[in-house]
């Protein structure tokens, strides 16, 4: 029996823009989980947590209006 191991290169989430941070905070206020937001926005859950807990872009308020457009 042959075992193959695939090494996945270290993938980094893209940087979170102020606009993206506003959208993330709005989605979180609407009741989406951090996991779901990460999947929708295309970043990892840890990055979402940083935004939700105001460690990234602390002065950006939740977005209003259309979240995806």
């Amino acid at each position: 029996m042959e075992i193959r191991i695939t090494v996945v290169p270290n993938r980094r989430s893209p940087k979170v823009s102020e606009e993206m941070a506003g959208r993330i905070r709005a989605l979180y206020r609407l009741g989406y989980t951090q996991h779901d937001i990460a999947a929708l926005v295309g970043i990892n859950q840890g990055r979402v947590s940083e935004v939700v807990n105001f460690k990234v872009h602390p002065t950006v308020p939740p977005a209003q209006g259309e979240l995806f457009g």
Side-chain angles (χ1 to χ4, degrees):
M1 181 167 103
E2 183 177 321
I3 298 174
R4 292 181 184 228
I5 298 174
T6 303
V7 177
V8 179
N10 188 10
R11 295 185 188 165
R12 305 185 107 211
S13 283
K15 289 191 176 191
V16 176
S17 67
E18 288 186 2
E19 181 181 349
M20 190 184 296
R23 289 179 179 179
I24 289 168
R25 289 192 179 116
L27 289 168
Y28 190 72
R29 277 195 173 175
L30 289 172
Y32 286 82
T33 65
Q34 290 182 12
H35 177 82
D36 290 339
I37 295 168
L40 287 169
V41 179
I43 61 176
N44 69 42
Q45 183 271 325
R47 210 52 86 220
V48 173
S49 176
E50 291 173 351
V51 173
V52 168
N53 291 300
F54 293 91
K55 293 182 180 186
V56 174
H57 300 298
T59 60
V60 175
Q64 298 190 3
E66 272 191 58
L67 295 176
F68 300 99

